[in-house]
Amino acid sequence: AYNLAKENGFKFRFHVLLWGAQQPQWIRNLPAEEQLEEIIEWMDAVAERYPDIDYLEVVNEPINDPPSADHPGNQNTT
């Protein structure tokens, strides 16, 4: 989608860097400092891969759907 947009003069919208309850399970148990490091690493990787993003949604549903062990994607299956 990014390449198609850039090659054809369209705006590119990145949806979404951080999304409420859809955090990976492994990040939940990290200390806050390490969580922040991982988030910064993720954002840096996105910026490197997509250097010319026109529109960016940074966070989606941080209040009404915060990270929770009750979310199906956050269940500990080990």
Side-chain angles (χ1 to χ4, degrees), residues 17-71:
L17 282 174
L18 305 171
W19 191 323
Q22 296 184 17
Q23 71 177 1
Q25 175 67 26
W26 58 265
I27 203 168
R28 293 186 53 200
N29 298 321
L30 295 177
E33 312 83 47
E34 289 182 39
Q35 287 182 9
L36 180 57
E37 289 174 18
E38 293 295 336
I39 291 168
I40 291 170
E41 184 178 322
W42 161 242
M43 291 182 176
D44 287 346
V46 169
E48 183 177 333
R49 183 168 183 168
Y50 308 108
D52 193 23
I53 294 173
D54 297 291
Y55 304 103
L56 174 68
E57 293 176 69
V58 178
V59 179
N60 192 34
E61 301 182 15
I63 297 171
N64 67 321
D65 196 13
S68 167
D70 295 333
H71 189 276

